[in-house]
Amino acid sequence: MFQAAVQRFSVSAAAESVCRTNFLVGFRRYCKKTSTKLRVSEALSGAELGSDVKVQGWVRSVRPQKDNIFLHVNDGSSLQSLQIVAGAKLNDPLLTFGSAVEVTGVLKKSPHQKQPVELEAEQIRVVGECDPIDFPFKIKERHSLEYIRKLPHLRCRTNAFSSLLRIRSEATAAIHSYFKDNGFVQIHTPIITSNDCEGAGELFRVEPSGPDYVDDEDFFSVPAFLTVSGQLHLEVISGAFSKVYTFGPSFRAENSQSRRHLAEFFMVEAEISFTESLEDLTRVMEDMFRSATEHVLAHCVEDVDLFHRHVTPGHRDTVEAMLNKSFPVITYTEAIEILHRHSEKFTFPTDWGCDLKTEHEKYLVKHCGNVPVFVTDYPYDLKPFYARDNQDHPKHTAAAVDLLVPGVGELCGGSLREERLNLLMARLKQ
């Protein structure tokens, strides 16, 4: 009995010792601080300096040395890449230019002036391989935009396109923020519609496909098209909401493949109820322009600087002038008088009643000090049927306005809407 009791006690003590050991191992594993996952932009800002962090991205450069290996990793959150410093033992044949990696280590201050911080790697895991020989971008070559455009699935990895996409993202956020802060309600207008808003007939027709489709039947019982504008839908909504806007895709089937004629693009459109003055429209256009531009300049400093250095040298001064000066306002008649005095410079005619071409718009901008300029009161026949008739004779004009900007020409356009039913009906019959 005694021996049996001792034996049971010994087994129990051993089991207790094993349990204690397992508990301590588990407790240490649980208490060990896990690595904080950071974007490259967050790491470069100095967030979590001195802490264990994890960064995921694509290798932009690899520089192996005898004792160390240096990597530059980018995840699209910043133009600048994060330098990774690792011991030679962490080198991997799969660690090449273009490969996707996950790096864990300690974020430290960099001893070099060219980068604020660096990541001292403790572990590098290759998530996705990349053959640097077959990869169309080479590590030390500068590729032309024409070459990059041929690789739509990879061009977002280049500095030019990644900067452009970050700027576009911030500009989109800034536009939404402006309208929200100024009391506008966002409306999602239809993409598939039976309306030809502009009346120009340049639409993409939408038809179903498949074995059950009958050629001579319309899916919606009427012809349907990709939208050219959400404006008519907004005008209906503005009968219940005083300020509305939409920001979505528009489609134009213009018979042109030039850089100025896009088949698909995103467009901002807004409607304001209870307004009787073009000044109300120009105020919104100017405020939105300034607000979005200032937001992009504040949040995309490096990306904007890249374009100022390599794409549009000297444009920085133009941007600053646009923000520091008020936008002048001239009438269409005044614009034609300015152009007519220098008609020999233009390919297209500059007579009253002609539509302003890009060359005319750019000249007017330069004439007004190379800052954005509003042109108002266009000839009535040049504007859509819903633009308000000024009823000024003999020069018959509409209460319409365009915003012309440097380097581009027309950026925004708008008009007061015709609210007089008899005039609107007469215009529709015409």
Side-chain angles (χ1 to χ4, degrees), residues 148-167:
I148 294 171
R149 288 193 187 101
K150 297 176 183 177
L151 303 162
H153 62 303
L154 293 173
R155 62 187 180 187
C156 52
R157 293 202 191 186
T158 64
N159 286 341
F161 275 85
S162 63
S163 289
L164 184 64
L165 292 172
R166 280 188 294 269
I167 290 172

Side-chain angles (χ1 to χ4, degrees), residues 351-366:
D351 299 324
W352 200 97
C354 71
D355 199 2
L356 296 182
K357 303 297 183 181
T358 302
E359 61 173 349
H360 303 148
E361 294 169 345
K362 290 183 177 180
Y363 182 85
L364 289 171
V365 170
K366 288 185 178 179

Side-chain angles (χ1 to χ4, degrees), residues 286 289-290 318-319 321-323 325-329 364-365 368-374 403-406 411:
E286 182 170 349
F289 179 91
R290 291 182 183 278
T318 303
V319 175
M322 287 192 291
L323 296 177
K325 297 179 181 178
S326 59
F327 297 175
V329 181
L364 289 171
V365 170
C368 294
N370 213 32
V371 296
V373 55
F374 288 108
L403 176 61
L404 313 182
V405 300
L411 180 69

Side-chain angles (χ1 to χ4, degrees), residues 1 26 39 60 100-101 105 108-109 111 127 151 183 195 204 250 279 324 339 342-343 358 364 383 390 407 424:
M1 289 291 295
R39 292 180 298 154
R60 288 289 185 91
V101 297
K108 295 185 175 181
K109 259 193 157 182
V127 179
L151 303 162
N195 291 329
F204 288 102
S250 297
E279 186 179 349
N324 293 330
L339 296 172
H342 305 276
S343 58
T358 302
L364 289 171
K383 290 302 174 181
N390 282 331
L424 188 60

Side-chain angles (χ1 to χ4, degrees), residues 171-185:
T172 301
I175 289 169
H176 283 298
S177 178
Y178 168 79
F179 282 116
K180 181 180 179 181
D181 293 344
N182 286 274
F184 285 77
V185 177

